Amino acid sequence: LGLKYRCSFLHKFILFKDFVESEFLLVDGDSLFITCAFNVNFKKGQTLHFFYIVERFLHDLIQKEAKFVIVFFKDAENMYFNYPVLLALRTTLIQHLEYNTDVTVHTEFSNCLSPEWELFLKECYPYFLIVSEEGITPHQTDFLNIFIIHALQKKINIVQSLGIESDVLRTYGHCTLSSYSHKQFFEMNFKNFLLQVHQTLSLLQNLWPEGADIRSVVCSISCSVTLKLYKKMLQDNPPTLNEAADLCRMYCLSVIFLQYLPLFQRAKSRIITYIWDRTLPPFLRMLNRCQVFILKQLKAKNNWNVNFTGLPDLTDNSLWKNIAYYYEIEYSRGLNLGLGDTLMQEYQKLWNTVLTLSEDSDLGGPMPMRTTSRLFLSQTKTSPREIHKLGLIPLKAEIIDDYAGDILSEVPFLSSDDPAVTSLCKKKEFDELIHWHSHRPLSDDFERTRCNSVKSKDAKRRRDIQKLHHYYHVFGKSLIGSNRSVRIIRGRALPPPENSSENQKRQLAKLEKREVERWNNLSLHIEKEIKENPNSGIKRLEDFLQTCSVKSVKFTAEMVGLDACFKFWMEYCLKAEAESRDISIIINLMKRIHVIYEKYSELLQNTHRQKLAKYLKYIGFDNLAQSLSPQESGIKKDISKYSVHMGAARFQLTYMGPYLFREERSDPDPRVHRFIPDTWQRELLDVVDNNESAVIVAPTSSGKTYASYYCMEKILRESDEGVVVYVSPTKALVNQVVGTVCSLFTKALPKGLVVCGVFTRDYRHDTLNCQILVTVPQCLEILLLSPHHQQWVKRIRYVIFDEVHCLGGEIGAEVWEHLLVMIRCPFLALSATISNPEHLTEWLVLIKRYWQHAESTMENSGPQPDLNDYFNPIFTVWYKERYNDLEKYVCSLKDNDFFIEHYHPCAALTIVKNFVLLYDAMVHIWPEWTRMQELEPEEFRCFKNKIVIMRADAKQYEEELKKEMIRWIQLDPSKVVNQLLKYLKPQTFDSAESEKRRMFPCFVEKLKEMDKLPAIFFFFFNSDSGARIQRIILLAAEIKEIRKNLKKYYAVSPDCTYTDRTVVDNQTLTKILRRLRGTRQNYKLHCLLRRGIGYHHGSMEYKQRQVVEMLFRLKHIKVVTATSSLALGINMPCKSVVFTEDSVFLDALNFRQMSGRAGRRGEDLIGNVFFYGIPLPKVERLLKSDVPKLKGQFPLSISLVLRLMLLVAKADDKKDAKAKALSVLQHSLMSFKKPNIECMLKFYFIYSLQFLVTEGYLNQECIPIGYSGLVSHLHYHEPANFVLVSFLEKCLFHKLCIPVNIDGQKRFSSDVMETLVVVLANLFGRLYLPPCEKKLKKRFPHSVVILDELPKEFADVVKEHNNRIEKNFGSFLLTISKLADMRKEYQLPLSEIDFSGKEYEESELVSHLMPGTESRTAVSPFACLSNITDQDLFDIDVAMFQTIDVNDKNIPILCLEKRDKKGRKCPLNGYVLNFYKTGSLSALTLDNWLNMGDAFNLIRSFALAIQSIRISLSELCDDEDDNVVLAFKQLSDEFKEKLGEKID
């Protein structure tokens, strides 16, 4: 049943991204229960530890700001019929969550097929469901499979609960998106138990009317009822009734211990290696089943005071067995220990209650504890090991004292004559064995990057580079226009505005005369065109107004346009068919009145005012006419036929929202010539002029990037030496910025210097000899950490960080952090999606102060730039208003037609007409509303009798409506507001997914009819499917033409296109399309582009993406389907954005970025966002979500520490290098204002150095030696880089790579190469599959689905490496345990129930059972209850203290066998080996469940790693004929060939 959908549990993705408000999820309670109850570290019976695991799991979700509810189905309870221990624990869990936490728990649903559940799903529509794919029994597995299948049919994404992992910021899990058939199950009945429990509970309530602790209640009733029923059903099988009573006595004593002993004392319990005898489980199951019904009955009793805080600590099986062991073995041997008076009294009271309830005095009194001699326990074997604190090797380096000197006294150091120290210099070098030079310096990553230089000796490459530079200019023109090039002259300031003079006055007079003549020639034609075709005529008038620079002429033109519009309206209204009014005529008329009245008020004469008043009166705005010209009120004839029958204020709000004037400045800024900047933009320019830094948060298309290019121009004008570095998150954005810079700036520079250079992982050109470097974060980090490029770094005058919110991203976030802490110059940090810029700014200010101090104490070594001005305060520029408003529509299918409903966002009133819609809805819902008249648009204080309503006036109206809504919520938080929301909710219709796909081309046509093109259609499935969608769109249009004329089917009709052939001439189009030559499948894209259709996704070649982007900007393409590749900053503004399907990838971050494409500034006053087939609850959450807060990642790794040591030791400028290294170490965002984390990072640094020294990468002076260069080159792949060196040192590759001689050349057989690929894929191609995928290996015998395990000799080396890591970092974990907040460590993470207390010292037995002899220095006290000790620390998620921010991903262990929370092995995806054997990326999409884009990027990344290893080995080895060097060369060449030489 589960095989097919399990095939989809392959893609591990981030469950909670930055915009978590948009992500509502369901947690299946039983799956949560299974995941935690079968955790490999949990010991059965230790309920408190169990609840700790549960709460830590849920607390982690809440820490990630996830919104979730938990559901326990009634039917699922029956699956535990044969597992009463689990059933009792499950019931306890439900009630604990209900009584002791704020988590929402649903227990009212019978099963997933019930109507109530269907309604619940429809109303809430969860983002995904966390569920286990395996149950305790086959029956439960089927139940869960049906649940999964049902959820998938409801388009709810599924995440495996057993495969969930977390780090500091994110949670990851395996997801499936498939769907299948379902079954139904039935309830079972337990009447006998229910009856007994009910009667006994009533009796206990009479005995303890004042109430009791839940543990005493459950213990007394469960023991009495179980003994009573056990007596009736007792047969010859053990245990006997008296033996059962002995068990219950010891159980009662354990419950008393739970109530009186604090957690820290119980955490010291001794570990006994005994289990219950195999004859006891039947009785124990009865006891647990009884507990279930007790808890259920208690839930229904509201008139009894029961303290439920003890629910998580209902039982302690280890404690129970410990007590049994004492009385069974030790007591019988003569060890007689006192229980203590208090414990004895409470125990006697509890046991006497059991006797009373059971109505059987033959069971015996409280003492003796054992009345029988039968053994209840049997022994098991264990092999414990311990982790001890290591003595550290003494190190001598200034940077250690400067950074971590304050903690050195807290770690133990070895003496200089210790064998561990003296053996360091006696290790046999690997070089001596095979004549390699491990100490030889390697070329750095910068030198290894392919260089595109016009000085290349290869003529073809020179031509290609020249073509590339030419294309950059063409590409840039499509970004900025053709008339914006700036020629820079060194030393000349920005050109000031021209001063007025007599000559200028004469020029203005000539200009005015020329414009008057031009208008006289056009006016009659424009009037006539407005009369015949209003839209075309108005557009022609607008075009004239945009090009006219004389105010008086523009006023005349506006008046003519006004007259023409009014005349056309009058003629239109006199037509008989004019029942449904074309309101666009009045909109244009009111636009003219707004412009004339607001912008040309000084030119208005009385006759003009009378005319305006007349027109206003005719269209029904009497109040405005009266205020404008009172004498115009004497019109006697009937003019009602011309009225719009709507108040003036309501009309302006409803129809003229996009045209309302903003509060804009009218004074020009001499630094800006093309537009008048807003105040916040001027502040940015001031920041640049003053050499200051700023964090800039502003919406997409608001104009924040203008400051970047102003900064570049400033530096270019200052000198020929200064450098601006522009950091983009992706290579696509790099190409875009390079195109813009090449088109925008030209400058005559000395020979050898250029304006713009590039450095990416793929190629570089003019990197060190340019003034504007455009790069990606990883490459700038290479330059900043390079020991020999410091002089170039000192030339940097400004760094511009685009999309700086990537600082909080999933991959590479720590690199952004490193850049921000290492640069000393001013910077601009740009983003549209940060909610806490003040926190970021505060952190950056701390860094700048550090650099100010470092600079003042650093001795100048040679000429230095004047940096005194670089340390001014960092400004935060936060602008929240988007220039183009976004209107949202929800689209659904009904009867083969499209139902497109406007979506009212209620609180997020970005569209002005929504204000009126909200007001009308409020009046409709509450007719007696007291402020109805006050907030009526015609009566509102800011609108009343106002001819021109400003946007600021509308914002005040919005604020008043929001305040009123808040008041409604306070008055009646449920009824009225819920009615209002329901009234505003758009109507949608469900339709089959196949129908949505079938009708999609028609939807594109619909948008064309609505004039909503150009549009970007966002898809989230396989990129190949995206290309098919374009062909579907095209075919839908072609079929119509083919049916018309079958004889000419091969000729494409001119109508069969979305392009406007007048926009781009054929010669330009051919030149642009020529760039597609040589790209993959270019013929498909070429054909589509000719028809105005394109696609854009991550696995396309960058040339193809550039062509699509350029033609879209040139308006040749009107339809583009895209993935998230267009989400991040690509300049492709459009009129509409369409979300075509729901997906796990459609989160609020992607929604914000993608919807930001809609609305072209200067062309569209409103952008349109369409949700095509997206469920309404998902739409609501996307719109309500907030922007993310930036949080720091774990900043250090062993490889980074090694790279910092390389920089400090090898740098040309040692002081500068040390200052950079200290800045990286001291200023992590994660530790900002968190001293404990800062201290923990210092210990991590010390133990990382210890590892590097003991492994031979550093000497005792922290100077890099050995294979440090090779390891640092592969820092992306830690810990695989260290394991690779271990393989080299053990000569494993030399033993493997045995060549054969073919035609006099060494070649390696396919078996050798495949084994080499397996080894390397286990290191550098690690992509885990869920455990269930192991079954698929037999189903795909000809494909490599699961990667083979490492050969034994390689696996042994990995184990040795892991042992050394555990030894070193185990000591680290023990050391940092003192940083834990022990107050919180004794609290459950979510409910915060406290289990601390005063140690109980009155009992000899307690002291004996809990001696604290085991090593539990750094283990959570909750985990100690399951006998977890320090040896288990490397399962950090369960064992480590929760208040120490260390994740297992921070410990560089290479797991040979990764297991999920149930202990099942997770296999590695064999995609690398599959590609090597087949050479097909398509095979990876079919066999390895990777989409094409991911497959290409993964294989390419692996190939780059192999190439880096090959280069390093060839540089280390003098022998060109070395077998290992040749094997890696052959492998690198083969991957290069299979990928089509795309890794140069």
Side-chain angles (χ1 to χ4, degrees), residues 826-1072:
F827 64 85
L828 300 177
L830 315 177
S831 178
T833 52
I834 300 177
S835 65
N836 59 336
E838 299 95 341
H839 179 74
L840 176 63
T841 303
E842 193 177 354
W843 173 62
L844 292 169
V845 166
L846 179 68
I847 297 165
K848 285 301 174 188
R849 285 175 180 163
Y850 162 83
W851 277 112
Q852 186 174 15
H853 174 73
E855 187 69 25
S856 64
T857 57
M858 211 182 291
E859 292 181 7
N860 290 333
S861 54
Q864 296 265 343
D866 184 8
L867 298 175
N868 292 330
D869 295 332
Y870 284 4
F871 306 110
N872 294 323
I874 297 173
F875 293 87
T876 301
V877 180
W878 198 355
Y879 182 70
K880 300 182 181 180
E881 187 173 346
R882 181 185 161 91
Y883 187 84
N884 305 90
D885 292 332
L886 293 179
E887 189 146 16
K888 289 91 177 177
Y889 299 91
V890 178
C891 314
S892 52
L893 271 174
K894 184 183 179 183
D895 301 328
N896 278 340
D897 197 8
F898 296 102
F899 197 79
I900 300 177
E901 277 273 281
H902 170 259
Y903 186 91
H904 193 289
C906 198
L909 303 178
T910 56
I911 305 295
V912 173
K913 75 176 181 181
N914 288 334
F915 307 168
V916 179
L917 294 175
L918 178 58
Y919 170 80
D920 292 342
M922 295 170 78
V923 171
H924 176 83
I925 295 299
W926 193 1
E928 298 82 18
W929 179 25
T930 54
R931 295 190 67 191
M932 177 172 61
Q933 187 64 26
E934 177 190 348
L935 293 179
E936 209 284 329
E938 305 305 324
E939 299 297 326
F940 185 63
R941 64 181 187 277
C942 296
F943 299 158
K944 195 168 185 178
N945 298 331
K946 199 163 187 179
I947 297 172
V948 179
I949 293 177
M950 304 291 288
R951 194 170 183 86
D953 301 328
K955 292 297 280 184
Q956 289 189 41
Y957 188 55
E958 175 191 5
E959 292 302 320
E960 286 299 323
L961 290 176
K962 287 181 178 179
K963 288 178 185 176
E964 190 63 17
M965 280 192 67
I966 293 172
R967 191 175 73 86
W968 282 25
I969 293 171
Q970 294 168 345
L971 291 174
D972 188 350
S974 57
K975 185 178 177 183
V976 178
V977 175
N978 286 342
Q979 290 178 9
L980 177 64
L981 296 176
K982 188 174 181 180
Y983 180 80
L984 291 171
K985 184 176 291 187
Q987 186 178 8
T988 57
F989 302 93
D990 290 332
S991 57
E993 202 66 34
S994 58
E995 278 297 293
K996 294 175 187 175
R997 291 286 179 94
R998 184 180 67 84
M999 292 293 291
F1000 178 74
C1002 302
F1003 180 67
V1004 181
E1005 287 292 317
K1006 180 77 173 178
L1007 294 184
K1008 183 180 180 181
E1009 294 171 11
M1010 296 169 62
D1011 192 28
K1012 299 297 184 183
L1013 299 182
I1016 299 176
F1017 297 79
F1018 283 106
F1019 290 82
F1020 295 92
F1021 44 67
N1022 189 305
S1023 57
D1024 281 354
S1025 301
R1028 285 196 292 273
I1029 287 294
Q1030 281 86 52
R1031 293 194 286 278
I1032 291 172
I1033 298 170
L1034 186 60
L1035 287 172
E1038 284 182 343
I1039 286 170
K1040 295 178 183 179
E1041 302 303 321
I1042 292 171
R1043 285 174 177 171
K1044 291 179 183 178
N1045 194 347
L1046 289 176
K1047 294 180 181 178
K1048 299 181 179 180
Y1049 70 94
Y1050 54 85
V1052 180
S1053 166
D1055 297 329
C1056 181
T1057 183
Y1058 288 101
T1059 190
D1060 182 354
R1061 299 183 187 279
T1062 63
V1063 174
V1064 180
D1065 61 85
N1066 194 56
Q1067 182 180 357
T1068 303
L1069 180 62
T1070 302
K1071 182 189 292 186
I1072 294 173

Side-chain angles (χ1 to χ4, degrees), residues 23 175 204 206 355 407 481 585 655 742 772 893 967 1006 1046 1062 1126 1150 1181 1208 1353 1407 1440 1482 1497-1498 1536:
E23 301 167 2
C175 174
L204 182 63
N206 294 330
L355 294 178
I407 64 157
I585 304 170
Y655 296 109
C742 289
I772 301 173
L893 271 174
R967 191 175 73 86
K1006 180 77 173 178
L1046 289 176
T1062 63
L1126 273 185
N1150 272 328
R1181 290 195 293 274
V1208 172
E1353 58 273 22
S1407 300
M1440 190 68 187
S1482 300
N1497 290 328
L1498 286 169
K1536 182 177 178 181

Side-chain angles (χ1 to χ4, degrees), residues 1113-1157:
R1113 283 192 293 269
L1114 292 174
K1115 304 179 186 178
H1116 174 81
I1117 299 175
K1118 296 294 179 64
V1119 175
V1120 168
T1121 62
T1123 62
S1124 56
S1125 62
L1126 273 185
L1128 203 63
I1130 297 296
N1131 185 4
M1132 279 183 63
C1134 57
K1135 184 176 286 189
S1136 304
V1137 161
V1138 183
F1139 295 96
T1140 60
E1141 62 174 357
D1142 189 21
S1143 166
V1144 295
F1145 303 107
L1146 179 53
D1147 54 46
L1149 176 59
N1150 272 328
F1151 169 72
R1152 288 289 181 92
Q1153 296 282 1
M1154 292 171 176
S1155 60
R1157 308 297 112 204

Side-chain angles (χ1 to χ4, degrees), residues 586-694:
I586 297 298
I587 292 174
N588 277 309
L589 186 144
M590 283 299 293
K591 279 171 60 180
R592 308 270 77 80
I593 292 177
H594 274 207
V595 172
I596 291 168
Y597 188 79
E598 190 66 24
K599 294 190 175 182
Y600 305 109
S601 56
E602 73 278 9
L603 299 178
L604 281 174
Q605 299 178 5
N606 194 40
T607 54
H608 297 134
R609 294 179 182 276
Q610 291 176 3
K611 181 182 287 189
L612 294 182
K614 173 186 173 182
Y615 293 169
L616 290 169
K617 188 170 184 65
Y618 265 74
I619 61 177
F621 301 160
D622 291 11
N623 58 329
L624 301 188
Q626 181 70 18
S627 64
L628 186 61
S629 180
Q631 62 269 32
E632 190 57 35
S633 60
I635 300 175
K636 300 290 180 75
K637 61 180 179 179
D638 180 18
I639 57 174
S640 60
K641 66 174 76 68
Y642 307 112
S643 174
V644 295
H645 306 294
M646 184 184 296
R650 179 176 286 270
F651 181 88
Q652 292 185 65
L653 293 176
T654 304
Y655 296 109
M656 299 196 64
Y659 309 106
L660 297 184
F661 293 135
R662 301 170 186 266
E663 297 290 342
E664 296 178 340
R665 298 182 61 155
S666 58
D667 56 317
D669 189 304
R671 299 167 293 186
V672 181
H673 303 298
R674 295 182 59 254
F675 63 95
I676 297 177
D678 295 333
T679 301
W680 69 275
Q681 290 172 316
R682 296 171 194 249
E683 291 174 0
L684 283 184
L685 302 184
D686 293 339
V687 166
V688 175
D689 285 341
N690 296 327
N691 284 335
E692 295 168 338
S693 300

